Amino acid sequence: MTVVPLQPPRRLVEFTLDEQPVRVPEGSTILDACRGAGKDIPTLCEGDTLTPKNACRVCVVEVEGARTLAPACSRRAEAGMTVRTDTERARHSRKIVLELLASSTDLSTTPRAAEWIKEYEAKPARFGADAARVNEEPKVDNELYVRDYDKCILCYKCVDACGEQWQNTFAIAVAGRGFDTRISTEHDAPLTDSACVYCGNCIEVCPTGALSFKTEFDMREAGTWDEAAQTETTTVCAYCGVGCNLTLHVQENEIVKVTSPHDNPVTHGNLCIKGRFGYQHVQNRM
Amino acid sequence: MDLKFADAAKVSDDERAAVDGLLGPAGTGWEGGTERTDEDLRWARGGAAARDRRDLLLPALHAVNDRVGWLSEGALDYICRRLTVPPAEAYGVATFYSMFSVKPRASKVLHVCTDLACAARGGSTALAEGLGPDVAVQPSPCLGLCERAPAALLLQAGAPSRGSAPPAPRGSAPDPAPQSPAGLGVPGGAEYYATAVIAPAGVEAVVSAVNAPQHAPDEPPAAAAVPQAGDPGLVLLKRVGLVDPTSLDDYRANGGYAALRRAFAIGPAAVIREVTDAGLLGRGGAAFPTGRKWQATASQPDHPHYLVCNADESEPGTFKDRVLMEGDPYALIEAMTIAGYAIGAHQGYLYLRGEYPRALERLGNAIARARARGLLGEDVLGQGYAFDIEIRRGAGAYICGEETAIFNSIEGYRGEPRSKPPFPVEKGLFGKPTAVNNVETLVNVLPILTGRAEETKLFCLSGNVGRPGVYELPFGATLRELIELAGPPGAMRAVLLGGAAGSFVRPDELDITLTFEGTRAAGTTLGSGVVLVLGDTVELPRILLRIAEFFRDESCGQCVPCRVGTVRQEEALHRIKDRTGADAADDIVLLREVGRAMRDASICGLGQTAWNAVESAIDRLGAYE
Ligand SMILES: Cc1cc2nc3c(=O)[nH]c(=O)nc-3n(C[C@H](O)[C@H](O)[C@H](O)COP(=O)(O)O)c2cc1C
Ligand code: SF4
Ligand code: SF4
Ligand code: SF4
Ligand code: FES
């Protein structure tokens, strides 16, 4: 569905991107401009439905005249600026960020991580076998979803989705400081004792697979998770009149997880517990 | 918000009393009052009005921590009910600060400084060996008492003393730490709240302070930290030791409030012009022109405007702001009033480092007296200008001195730096135009307005010098002249200039002129004015490791280059602490590569500078060669 929102036309901003002049609507980020120009900048903490936290720093680019590199995902394009995306300096920082993350967390389910590690020739192992890792065990405290913070890169997206940007539930927050920072409920209580309403909107935005459906988690443990064998069907949730879109991921005729299209102009990929997890009746084959 | 609270009955009487002491008694059962009546069920308070009190979260956490020594689930929950804060967020805030604990601990906590200057003089947690289970010992980053190293700080949780004033109403409350009269115990054997600064901290002094903090000997006067005290050439430090820091009359008799009168006489625009013309540069480390910052804030159409005084002083080796605040507190209050007037603010926040009990007491007293005499409040000096100051206590987080982290901390969020732009002058505290200035920067405004001859700079000398302390010198003196004043060691290995985020210089570089330009030209920095002198017996690798530990501990954890980079930096320095030459080469390459990315890609100044000192030790001093 394409909806053209009514708003005054935006002015265009012209600047130089990798020696080429580009024009983007005012308010666009450098990343928007890069994507518009067909450039593939790695991103991890950026998400299409949330205000970027620019915490991972893998998308950094060089802005002429600036002392430090700038995060492409959040820095707005300004008229006349000169941006270079592929300099040795920018590539160096991306490589180190990938090495730092991969040496401390489990990126095995982060889409494209392996590809970028190769592209940037990152060598996470060079920090040695004793390099500190986050070392977290999966938290399996309810039947619906699992929090495996060993895979968490602290992108803040789940917190923003659960909190003021979407859900307004504030069940989870960032706790601790520095390398000991973790996403946590109050006093690290199980989700069942927290304010969580199981909307799963945090899973929807998690870029690493740290948050996943219990079905997916269990199937991965059992070695039966096979994305290539899955179909995705987008339909309308039948529970209430809002009519959210559901994308059912089906493997061997079983729904294995539910997502929602992020470009839906009403829900932006958000659902409630019924749409997200209430699909068992569909596969009740009595 | 889906607020979910635990059983309200979990909060203890002491915890409830501590919170109610700050916020007043709970209005209804919803707020965690003891009874929920039928009446309560028919209405609920909430919405924006309730959420507006979020900035009382940090003071409320302090109130409980001061009273019982740690933050239980029940206490945190009660605070959340009172302030309409989601418990997960309050937990995130409480666990951000090193002075708080969410696990039970002894009511006495001994913070032992293990940082550069103190470690060099035997500061270690070994000082606290055998103290027994009723005191929790916590190694601490620099306590800002370097001139009396080694240092320790004892905090004893307990009830506020009977004599202490009830909390003032919101808006004017200076968040006072309860003071305890000597020798009194709370009926029932519990203790009163007390603090004791132990410096120099010998084993005996520590034991006696722990046993009876209320009887700990008084600290030496602030002037003891100023070897030049009484020197007629002093400008910023001239009143330290000369005036009674508790007496407003004494301050006024010694030139106090002349600058504010002048400011009122010439008007805000002229104040900004004089500060701009004087070329005043910020003393908090970044050397930004103060006049420009004030002008940019003053000209913002959005209102209200705020002033924040950055008194978080946590850069290892820095203690000048403490000496100013303890020795001449009214000067800072007057200077803040002038700054507020210039930028069009009616409310100033003084964000004070949590480990500075004496500065807290002196400033709290100065604010109360100034308010009582019409020098703060609705109508300052009868000029129709309203201005007041609220003290906010930090709780052990170096990063909260960063100019945007300080806003989050005051607002009741985790003290994480924000991304810039927008800059504070546009969107600062509570999203409004804000000027943030360091204590020393502000105090400089007084002589600018009353016509001084020469601009001066404060330096914090510590380490292997004969007379450590705060020195004041006109810009343009050389490093050698400064160290000569303080009594140099027989043989010098290096000088750390500018603090942990600064850089090392060699003994043959002492002719560097101590100006912002001079140090920059020499590839170093004045930073916050730290001059840590290292004699030739120091083990450089240990010092570098300590610096790396400091940054690892103090990283807020928000961005990857700093959160993980500081850990990798520390690991590498640990590996090579006893190695040189080819054995260290691989790790030095690693350090350089990680350091470069930290400098280039970190969000804030902490990560961007965390590799400076180590790099300079490798490049300039030939460490590990
Ligand atoms: C990690 C970090 C810690 C800082 N700590 C302090 C501090 O404790 N006190 C201070 O005045 N400035 C501190 N600063 C500098 C402030 O960000 C800011 O530049 C300063 O308060 C502005 O005031 P000024 O212009 O008067 O110097 C810190 C900066 C960083 C990056
Ligand atoms: S499922 Fe919904 S309520 Fe629960 S943590 Fe995730 S976003 Fe928050
Ligand atoms: S759990 Fe996922 S969404 Fe949340 S911070 Fe970690 S990686 Fe990001
Ligand atoms: S550089 Fe360090 S302290 Fe600054 S935002 Fe990043 S993690 Fe936090
Ligand atoms: S994607 Fe831009 S900082 Fe993470």
Side-chain angles (χ1 to χ4, degrees):
Chain A
M1 176 167 29
T2 321
V3 170
V4 182
L6 284 178
Q7 56 184 31
R10 286 194 290 172
R11 284 197 299 159
L12 292 180
V13 173
E14 190 169 331
F15 72 102
T16 309
L17 182 62
D18 290 333
E19 323 301 336
Q20 298 290 320
V22 291
R23 300 172 83 187
V24 290
E26 197 172 31
S28 305
T29 61
I30 295 175
L31 184 66
D32 294 332
C34 289
R35 288 185 173 158
K39 289 178 199 296
D40 183 25
I41 309 280
T43 58
L44 284 166
C45 71
E46 184 265 350
D48 52 355
T49 60
L50 293 159
T51 307
K53 183 76 184 168
N54 63 80
C56 80
R57 319 301 281 184
V58 79
C59 68
V60 287
V61 295
E62 213 167 326
V63 175
E64 202 170 280
R67 189 172 43 88
T68 55
L69 301 173
C73 66
S74 335
R75 179 60 57 82
R76 306 236 174 260
E78 285 163 36
M81 73 190 334
T82 299
V83 177
R84 293 189 183 83
T85 62
D86 214 32
T87 59
E88 187 274 331
R89 193 171 163 215
R91 292 184 67 92
H92 174 79
S93 277
R94 286 184 208 152
K95 170 183 130 175
I96 297 288
V97 163
L98 289 165
E99 288 181 341
L100 294 174
L101 276 179
S103 63
S104 54
T105 50
D106 169 5
L107 298 183
S108 62
T109 52
T110 303
R112 301 194 65 187
E115 174 196 332
W116 289 326
I117 285 175
K118 209 162 147 212
E119 179 190 339
Y120 286 90
E121 293 172 23
K123 298 190 181 56
R126 69 180 172 139
F127 297 117
D130 297 335
R133 299 186 62 87
V134 292
N135 279 341
E136 289 286 332
E137 290 296 318
K139 291 184 191 297
V140 189
D141 54 17
N142 66 87
E143 280 305 302
L144 301 182
Y145 77 100
V146 174
R147 298 176 292 150
D148 185 358
Y149 290 132
D150 206 44
K151 295 177 167 177
C152 173
I153 59 165
L154 287 168
C155 70
Y156 288 59
K157 285 162 81 172
C158 55
V159 174
D160 287 344
C162 187
E164 62 177 12
Q165 290 190 33
W166 292 122
Q167 184 64 22
N168 262 288
T169 289
F170 298 93
I172 45 176
V174 184
R177 189 170 81 192
F179 196 71
D180 300 327
T181 303
R182 297 288 184 275
I183 306 297
S184 175
T185 58
E186 60 271 27
H187 303 280
D188 206 9
L191 269 187
T192 45
D193 288 347
S194 78
C196 178
V197 298
Y198 304 95
C199 59
N201 293 330
C202 51
I203 314 170
E204 183 76 51
V205 298
C206 178
T208 60
L211 306 180
S212 68
F213 272 59
K214 181 136 187 316
T215 39
E216 173 173 348
F217 180 82
D218 290 344
M219 288 170 77
R220 280 186 189 274
E221 292 273 281
T224 56
W225 181 258
D226 182 3
E227 238 150 77
Q230 291 171 12
T231 57
E232 293 177 20
T233 310
T234 299
T235 177
V236 177
C237 177
Y239 278 111
C240 84
V242 175
C244 299
N245 283 173
L246 305 178
T247 300
L248 307 177
H249 299 242
V250 177
Q251 182 178 332
E252 285 160 31
N253 220 18
E254 295 276 339
I255 298 172
V256 291
K257 78 171 170 186
V258 177
T259 57
S260 179
H262 291 195
D263 59 358
N264 183 302
V266 179
T267 58
H268 303 278
N270 294 306
L271 294 173
C272 76
I273 181 172
K274 293 177 287 180
R276 182 83 63 191
F277 292 110
Y279 53 78
Q280 282 74 10
H281 63 288
V282 178
Q283 34 202 43
N284 225 335
R285 301 183 188 85
M286 301 255 290
Chain B
M1 271 184 241
D2 293 314
L3 294 175
K4 177 168 174 174
F5 299 117
D7 184 354
K10 272 183 168 174
V11 59
S12 75
D13 290 347
D14 274 353
E15 291 163 341
R16 183 187 289 275
V19 177
D20 291 356
L22 178 80
L23 303 176
T28 70
W30 295 114
E31 282 198 310
T34 35
E35 273 171 58
R36 187 173 294 178
T37 62
D38 286 353
E39 200 81 341
D40 285 350
L41 294 174
R42 293 197 196 97
W43 68 286
R45 231 183 301 201
R51 287 197 297 275
D52 269 356
R53 289 150 50 95
R54 172 76 183 239
D55 68 298
L56 291 174
L57 179 58
L58 185 54
L61 295 174
H62 266 305
V64 172
N65 196 59
D66 285 348
R67 180 78 175 233
V68 282
W70 68 288
L71 304 165
S72 72
E73 258 184 81
L76 209 60
D77 202 73
Y78 182 61
I79 292 172
C80 289
R81 278 175 196 268
R82 297 297 314 275
L83 296 174
T84 321
V85 174
E89 287 209 346
Y91 180 73
V93 172
T95 53
F96 189 81
Y97 296 100
S98 67
M99 287 176 79
F100 297 146
S101 169
V102 292
K103 299 212 174 76
R105 65 174 170 185
S107 63
K108 292 177 188 177
V109 180
L110 184 73
H111 297 261
V112 182
C113 180
T114 55
D115 225 317
L116 303 172
C118 285
R121 293 187 183 221
S124 95
T125 46
L127 283 173
E129 252 161 41
L131 279 181
D134 66 337
V135 48
V137 178
Q138 199 169 316
S140 169
C142 178
L143 284 169
L145 295 160
C146 316
E147 85 279 10
R148 282 181 275 152
L153 170 68
L154 183 84
L155 302 177
Q156 172 178 286
S161 66
R162 259 165 293 174
S164 69
R170 170 89 221 276
S172 57
D175 182 21
Q179 289 303 310
S180 112
L184 292 177
V186 183
E191 302 283 359
Y192 279 118
Y193 176 84
T195 64
V197 168
I198 316 148
V203 172
E204 222 167 280
V206 168
V207 170
S208 75
V210 165
N211 288 338
Q214 47 289 75
H215 295 301
D218 281 344
E219 284 185 70
V226 181
Q228 298 160 296
D231 182 332
L234 297 180
V235 181
L236 304 174
L237 295 171
K238 72 174 173 203
R239 273 183 294 258
V240 177
L242 184 68
V243 295
D244 170 0
T246 63
S247 162
L248 178 53
D249 290 328
D250 214 13
Y251 178 67
R252 297 182 86 162
N254 283 282
Y257 281 100
L260 181 62
R261 282 182 199 286
R262 172 112 203 292
F264 283 134
I266 62 178
V271 171
I272 295 180
R273 199 173 333 113
E274 294 203 2
V275 170
T276 308
D277 291 348
L280 178 61
L281 300 178
R283 305 293 201 245
F288 191 83
T290 306
R292 235 166 74 202
K293 187 183 286 184
W294 288 11
Q295 178 60 42
T297 313
S299 63
Q300 294 290 327
D302 194 12
H303 281 274
H305 295 178
Y306 289 108
L307 173 75
V308 174
C309 170
N310 191 342
D312 193 40
E313 191 164 72
S314 313
E315 181 72 43
T318 316
F319 47 98
K320 64 189 176 70
D321 295 344
R322 173 180 60 79
V323 171
L324 278 174
M325 293 186 287
E326 290 180 351
D328 195 9
Y330 290 99
L332 180 59
I333 304 306
E334 181 184 358
M336 282 184 71
T337 312
I338 295 170
Y341 176 65
I343 63 166
H346 299 291
Q347 180 68 46
Y349 287 88
L350 202 171
Y351 189 93
L352 180 66
R353 179 167 190 194
E355 294 95 336
Y356 276 180
R358 186 158 73 170
L360 176 66
E361 182 194 327
R362 299 248 160 112
L363 289 163
N365 171 67
I367 290 172
R369 283 172 199 262
R371 196 181 286 137
R373 298 270 285 274
L375 294 162
L376 286 174
E378 284 307 305
D379 185 11
V380 176
L381 273 174
Q383 298 285 322
Y385 167 64
F387 185 73
D388 217 323
I389 298 173
E390 198 168 323
I391 299 178
R392 286 306 173 94
R393 260 195 293 166
Y398 165 66
I399 191 57
C400 290
E402 197 277 342
E403 60 178 358
T404 56
I406 206 169
F407 304 147
N408 281 340
S409 181
I410 293 174
E411 291 178 24
Y413 295 89
R414 292 162 56 79
E416 293 171 354
R418 301 175 181 173
S419 354
K420 293 179 271 191
F423 291 94
V425 295
E426 232 179 299
K427 283 195 191 312
L429 186 62
F430 303 115
K432 299 295 177 183
T434 305
V436 186
N437 277 118
N438 170 258
V439 173
E440 183 190 347
T441 313
L442 288 167
V443 171
N444 258 287
V445 170
L446 306 177
I448 288 178
L449 288 181
T450 49
R452 74 163 149 201
E454 216 173 358
E455 199 180 357
T456 59
K457 173 83 196 83
L458 299 182
F459 296 97
C460 313
L461 271 93
S462 61
N464 303 113
V465 287
R467 291 172 298 281
V470 181
Y471 287 79
E472 178 173 355
L473 285 181
F475 273 111
T478 64
L479 183 54
R480 184 186 312 282
E481 287 163 353
L482 176 62
I483 295 176
E484 287 298 330
L485 269 181
M492 202 184 295
R493 172 82 170 93
V495 179
L496 178 61
L497 258 191
S503 58
F504 287 96
V505 298
R506 290 188 306 271
D508 63 352
E509 294 179 295
L510 297 187
D511 291 318
I512 293 174
T513 13
L514 296 173
T515 56
F516 290 109
E517 309 77 45
T519 46
R520 199 176 311 131
T524 170
T525 173
L526 278 189
S528 53
V530 172
V531 180
L532 175 72
V533 180
L534 302 174
D536 66 352
T537 54
V538 300
E539 293 172 54
L540 201 52
R542 277 197 44 196
I543 301 239
L544 299 184
L545 193 53
R546 173 59 216 160
I547 291 175
E549 266 172 29
F550 172 78
F551 285 114
R552 178 212 56 200
D553 284 346
E554 300 298 330
S555 164
C556 82
Q558 194 177 201
C559 64
V560 175
C562 173
R563 178 179 74 237
V564 191
T566 53
V567 172
R568 298 290 177 254
Q569 172 171 280
E570 188 209 343
E571 288 168 351
L573 288 171
H574 199 79
R575 280 194 294 269
I576 60 173
K577 72 177 188 309
D578 302 315
R579 291 195 215 157
T580 52
D583 293 340
D586 283 355
D587 277 314
I588 288 179
V589 171
L590 200 77
L591 283 164
R592 283 191 198 280
E593 292 200 6
V594 172
R596 183 172 170 221
M598 288 201 278
R599 178 175 295 157
D600 275 350
S602 295
I603 292 181
C604 85
L606 189 149
Q608 289 161 11
T609 59
W611 148 247
N612 283 3
V614 181
E615 182 185 41
S616 73
I618 294 171
D619 289 345
R620 290 174 100 115
L621 305 181
Y624 311 107
E625 265 173 18

